[in-house]
Amino acid sequence: MRIADQWQDFEILDTSSGEKLERWGNTLLIRPDPQVIWKPEKGPVWQKADARYNRSSAGGGSWQIYRSHPEFWTIRYRDLRFKISPTGFKHTGLFPEQAVNWDFFREKIETAGRPIRVLNLFAYTGGATLACAAAGASVCHVDASKGMVAWARENQQLSGLAEKPIRWIVDDCQKFVEREIRRGSLYDGVIMDPPSYGRGPGGEVWKLEDSVYDLVKLCAGVLTENPLFFAINSYTTGLSPSVMEYILNTTVSRRFAGKGTTFSSEIGLPVTATGCPLPCGSTAVWHSRD
């Protein structure tokens, strides 16, 4: 497992009984986590939480406020800054475990020795986008949610990256890639963070397990002849890291035989109370050998 253990403004303090107690800057939040099936006794630190997200049996959920805290605030990772705000669907606007991938992308871009163009799909609030831009890449950031793209642009301003070449696109990721292929637009790096489940504009059901192979194969079509990396993230328990790596080996690796290698792993965050890592998803990566 690759562990995002370089945070200073974020920390998982403890986990128990389907929940995690997190510190986001100076604010303590309790959020549900299906991975937490262990049930040790909750210590006094849990009583210091500012808010807890409670799931509803009818779907969704809501925040239970224990202590007054800001509607939004800022945390940092290295030279990046992010707006944090608890949303009505339990998220806060950031997946801290992805910092291990941000660092990998930055290193590849900084040592490439050439201009790099990156396509970030399902790009959410822009953690990977900003990491790549800070490293010197030009980035095309694509997400179907207008609100998430606006949030990402706020993070760009907070991080002092307003002058960096970032193209902001609100669109269906698959349709955008199909148009980029027709236009002949190519990228040196592709990052994909697709949802596990969703519905299309016509109400059609989209499941990552059923669609991920075709999606990867399609997106490989926008890579240059000498690409730097292709990364896919998953929070779907049915998709193991090795399954995603196999998909990359039969698509990207096959096309660029001899030019790169693949790896896959769980990614996670350390838990202060136990010293154990909490699994938070999986990543598979093809990257160039240089």
Side-chain angles (χ1 to χ4, degrees):
M1 181 185 294
R2 295 158 62 228
I3 302 172
D5 57 2
Q6 299 302 304
W7 280 96
Q8 294 180 323
D9 286 358
F10 173 83
E11 180 182 9
I12 299 182
L13 297 171
D14 200 5
T15 60
S16 180
S17 305
E19 294 182 313
K20 54 188 175 183
L21 173 64
E22 303 167 307
R23 178 180 64 82
W24 298 84
N26 296 320
T27 303
L28 302 188
L29 302 177
I30 298 174
R31 296 194 296 158
D33 191 315
Q35 300 267 42
V36 181
I37 61 174
W38 43 91
K39 302 178 182 179
E41 183 178 352
K42 293 181 177 179
V45 68
W46 288 79
Q47 303 302 315
K48 298 180 180 180
D50 296 293
R52 165 187 260 125
Y53 188 86
N54 297 312
R55 290 194 182 278
S56 168
S57 58
S62 61
W63 288 95
Q64 181 179 1
I65 307 301
Y66 298 132
R67 296 177 179 84
S68 177
H69 63 273
E71 180 182 354
F72 57 87
W73 61 98
T74 301
I75 69 171
R76 62 186 174 86
Y77 182 78
R78 295 180 60 177
D79 53 347
L80 304 179
R81 302 292 185 272
F82 302 100
K83 185 183 87 169
I84 302 301
S85 181
T87 68
F89 45 97
K90 98 168 182 177
H91 295 303
T92 62
L94 196 68
F95 293 101
E97 66 276 5
Q98 288 295 329
V100 292
N101 289 326
W102 304 340
D103 289 344
F104 174 82
F105 302 146
R106 288 185 74 150
E107 182 179 4
K108 291 294 291 185
I109 293 166
E110 288 169 351
T111 59
R114 57 188 170 97
I116 298 297
R117 298 184 71 218
V118 174
L119 175 62
N120 188 13
L121 301 169
F122 310 96
Y124 195 48
T125 60
T129 293
L130 300 183
C132 293
S138 60
V139 187
C140 182
H141 173 113
V142 187
D143 197 281
S145 169
K146 183 178 180 180
M148 290 300 104
V149 173
W151 195 331
R153 298 189 75 160
E154 287 186 68
N155 289 334
Q156 179 191 26
Q157 295 292 328
L158 289 170
S159 297
L161 298 173
E163 302 305 315
K164 294 294 184 178
I166 302 175
R167 182 183 176 200
W168 304 100
I169 304 292
V170 179
D171 201 352
D172 176 271
C173 289
Q174 180 172 326
K175 292 179 180 178
F176 177 79
V177 170
E178 289 170 347
R179 289 198 300 274
E180 288 291 85
I181 291 172
R182 291 196 296 269
R183 288 188 286 247
S185 297
L186 301 178
Y187 298 86
D188 303 289
V190 172
I191 303 166
M192 296 171 49
D193 202 347
S196 299
Y197 176 88
R199 288 189 178 274
E204 62 274 17
V205 175
W206 191 91
K207 285 187 177 181
L208 183 58
E209 300 98 314
D210 299 335
S211 307
V212 63
Y213 178 83
D214 291 336
L215 187 60
V216 170
K217 187 176 180 180
L218 172 70
C219 293
V222 297
L223 289 172
T224 61
E225 287 304 310
N226 292 291
L228 197 61
F229 58 77
F230 190 114
I232 178 167
N233 297 307
S234 171
Y235 298 93
T236 303
T237 54
L239 278 178
S240 68
S242 56
V243 167
M244 295 194 300
E245 183 176 352
Y246 196 101
I247 291 172
L248 288 181
N249 280 330
T250 57
T251 53
V252 181
S253 292
R254 184 168 293 175
R255 177 181 168 189
F256 299 100
K259 292 186 177 181
T261 186
T262 60
F263 71 86
S264 63
S265 67
E266 286 186 288
I267 56 176
L269 290 159
V271 178
T272 301
T274 62
C276 300
L278 176 66
C280 298
S282 302
T283 300
V285 179
W286 178 95
H287 64 99
S288 63
R289 295 185 184 278
D290 52 1

